[in-house]
Amino acid sequence: MNTHLLAPRRCLLALLLVCTFTSACEDDDPPSRAADYAELKKNVERELPLAMKQDEVRGVSLALVDGDEVVWSQGFGMADAEAGLPATPRTVYGLGSVAKVFTTSAAMRLVEEKRASLDQPIEEVIPGFSMEARFPSAPVTLRTLLMHHAGIPEQMGGAYSPRALTLEERVASLRGEHRVWPVGTLHAYSNTGFIIAGRAVETASGSDFGAFMQKHLFTPLRMAHSAFRVTPAVAELRAKGYGDLPPETVPPHWIESEGPAGGMFSSAEDLSRFVRMLLNGGRFEGRQVLRSESIQEMWREQNAGNPLDVGTRSGLTWYLHDLPLEGGGAVRMVEHDGSDFQFNAIVALIPEHRLGVVVLSNTLSAGSLVNSLARQMLAQALKVKTGKVVAPVPGLPSVSPEPQPPEVLARWEGLYSTDLGPMVIQVQGGALKGLAGDTVLDLVPHQQGYFKTLVGEEPLWLSFRRAGDATLLLGHSPLHGVGLLGTRITPAPMPEVWRSRLGRYTVATEGSRELLDEAVLSEVSGLLVLTYTGPLYRGLQVTMVLDPEGDLAAVAGRGRHRGDVLRFEQTAEGAWLRLKGVRLRRVPSLATAHDL
C-alpha cells in the first residue's frame, strides 16, 4: 500500500461523512438497487468536482457494486483535457499496484489446479531461480511473496531498458543479487517479489503471463479493455496521464516490464466485473472463475502476531481493516490501492455485505482523493444497505503534555534509521530532540507515551515500542492509524577497507540512464553512510546508514527501503558499487569525514 504517515491529507469529500442517506431494505435484493443509492450519488456529484479542483485532478472514474449489480458508475472531469475527451466508466487507466491482486488471483487459480502450491520453495516452481542471502532463512514461497514477507528487495534496476523486459529476463537478472531479510521477518513491500510471483505463474502454467491472464481472468469476466500492455483495445480508451515528472524522465518501457507488480491497464467498467466475481464467491454470470475458498484465503490475515508488522494486516496481497461502527462492533474492509507516474487506483470491498467500490484517476496528485472517496462511498453504501454507520475516523491523540524524568526519556536515545533518513534522538531540556540532516524535531512528551512534534506546520505524533531486540519508532496518523516510521540501529564502525572506498560513483556508460544515477559513500561520525539520487526521485537525495561486512554493506534498520545490500567490486577497469541492480563506477574525488 502506497501511503505515507507524513503526507498531509485534505479532501472536501470528508463532508460526505455527515450526509444522511435512505435506510436499507431488509428483504432479499430486488432486481435493481440503484435507486437506493440516489442520495449517495447526488452528494458525490456535488462534492467530487470541488475536491478535484482543489487537488488539481483532471479525471476520475468510479463504480459502486452491490452484490451482483453495478448500481452506479460514472466519470468526472477529463480523460484527456487537451483533446477535450471526458472521463467515463469505460475510460482506461493505469492501475499501479492494483495489478498485484490480479497476479494473486492468477496464482490462486494455479493452486486450485494443483499446478503450484502456496508453500513449496519457489525454486521448485521457477527452475533456476537463485538469489544470494547473508543469513539463514526459511525458503521463499509463493505465499511469502504474495504477502510481502519473502525478504525480496523492493525495486531493482532495468528502469530505462531500451525495450520491455520479459519476466524470465527480470528474474534471471536477480542471480547474484541479495535478499534483504530472512523470510517472515516483517512486511516489506516488494515490487520485485511480484515479478517473481508473475514468473511463477508463467512456469507453473506453461503460458506467457499476459496470455494466461487473458484466458483465465479477462475473457471469463468480459474485461475487454484490460491488459498488461497497451493493446489496441486499451489504446482506444486510454486516458492521458498527468504527473510531475518531465516526459523525458518517465521510463518508456518500465511499466510493461513491471507487469505483475504494477503494469495493468483497466477501466471502472471492467474492474466492476472483477468485484462482482469476488463478492459472489468467485462466480460471474454462471461461471466459476475462482473458488470461494481461494478468495477467502486471499482475505485471511496471514501475518497475525508479527511484532514488526505494526499497523499492517495483510492477506495474500489484500490489506485488511476493521471499520469501527457506531454503537460498537466493526465491519471488515479489504482493499488494495496503487499508483504509478501519473495514475492512481483503488479497489475496496466490504465482503460480508457484498459491497465494493472502484475509483480510478489519471492524475498523480489524486492519491489522497481516490482513497478517501473509496472509503467514504463504502461507508455510506453500508448505511444505505444495512443501516450500520461507520464511526468517524479518530482524530489525533486526545492527550496533554506530561513531563517525563530524564532517565525515562533516555530509554529512547540513539541513532534511528527512519523514513526521514538517519535520525539521532537525544534528551534535551525535558524533551527528546530528533536530528535528521537539516531537520530538527522537538519531541514533546505527552500522556500515554505519545510525543508530539511538527514537520513544517503539520503535527506529527510519535511513540516508541520495544519488539524483541528491536526498538521501534512509530508514527500515528488520523487516517492511517499507526505505522513503523523507523528502528534504532547499532551499525558496525567504519572498517579501514571501506574508508578507502569512499567517494562518488555514477552510472558508467555516458548518456545512459538507470534507476539510480549517482551514489556517494562518506564517513559520518565514524559510520559508513550512503547517499544516492536518481531520475525518479524528483531531485531528492536518499541517505542511509550502512552496516558493512566484508565487500558487502547492508542498509541498517528494519522496514521498507531498509536491508538493501550494496556490493563493492574492484576490476581492472576501476572500482564499482552495485546497488538495486544498478552498477555504478567510482569517480576520482576527495572523500571527507564529518559528524552527524
Side-chain angles (χ1 to χ4, degrees), residues 346-376:
I346 186 170
V347 175
L349 306 93
I350 299 179
E352 282 68 29
H353 296 287
R354 300 178 70 210
L355 291 168
V357 169
V358 175
V359 183
L360 310 173
S361 177
N362 60 345
T363 309
L364 180 63
S365 63
S368 178
L369 183 150
V370 163
N371 283 269
S372 297
L373 175 59
R375 294 178 184 226
Q376 290 159 17

Side-chain angles (χ1 to χ4, degrees), residues 162-178:
R163 61 172 176 81
L165 300 173
T166 66
L167 298 182
E168 182 177 12
E169 290 172 323
R170 293 293 305 277
V171 170
S173 73
L174 298 176
R175 294 178 190 138
E177 301 292 347
H178 283 73

Side-chain angles (χ1 to χ4, degrees), residues 249-394:
T249 302
V250 177
H253 306 293
W254 200 26
I255 295 298
E256 186 173 345
S257 297
E258 292 279 299
M264 184 176 160
F265 300 92
S266 191
S267 66
E269 180 179 79
D270 276 11
L271 289 175
S272 67
R273 296 186 175 108
F274 177 66
V275 171
R276 286 170 56 196
M277 180 270 292
L278 294 173
L279 293 176
N280 287 282
R283 292 188 68 79
F284 180 78
E285 296 182 348
R287 178 172 181 173
Q288 197 74 36
V289 179
L290 279 178
R291 292 179 184 168
S292 176
E293 296 84 358
S294 296
I295 296 171
Q296 294 309 313
E297 183 65 14
M298 291 192 293
W299 293 342
R300 181 179 68 83
E301 186 171 355
Q302 304 280 331
N303 65 331
N306 189 301
L308 295 179
D309 285 0
V310 181
T312 298
R313 295 174 56 213
S314 172
L316 295 178
T317 306
W318 292 89
Y319 290 95
L320 317 177
H321 310 267
D322 287 332
L323 304 180
L325 299 174
E326 289 188 357
V331 64
R332 181 177 64 150
M333 179 181 75
V334 303
E335 55 85 18
H336 206 295
D337 65 0
S339 64
D340 58 24
F341 306 115
Q342 300 162 326
F343 295 92
N344 278 279
I346 186 170
V347 175
L349 306 93
I350 299 179
E352 282 68 29
H353 296 287
R354 300 178 70 210
L355 291 168
V357 169
V358 175
V359 183
L360 310 173
S361 177
N362 60 345
T363 309
L364 180 63
S365 63
S368 178
L369 183 150
V370 163
N371 283 269
S372 297
L373 175 59
R375 294 178 184 226
Q376 290 159 17
M377 285 179 61
L378 268 185
Q380 298 303 336
L382 179 69
K383 183 176 181 181
V384 170
K385 187 170 186 177
T386 70
K388 299 178 187 291
V389 178
V390 174
V393 175

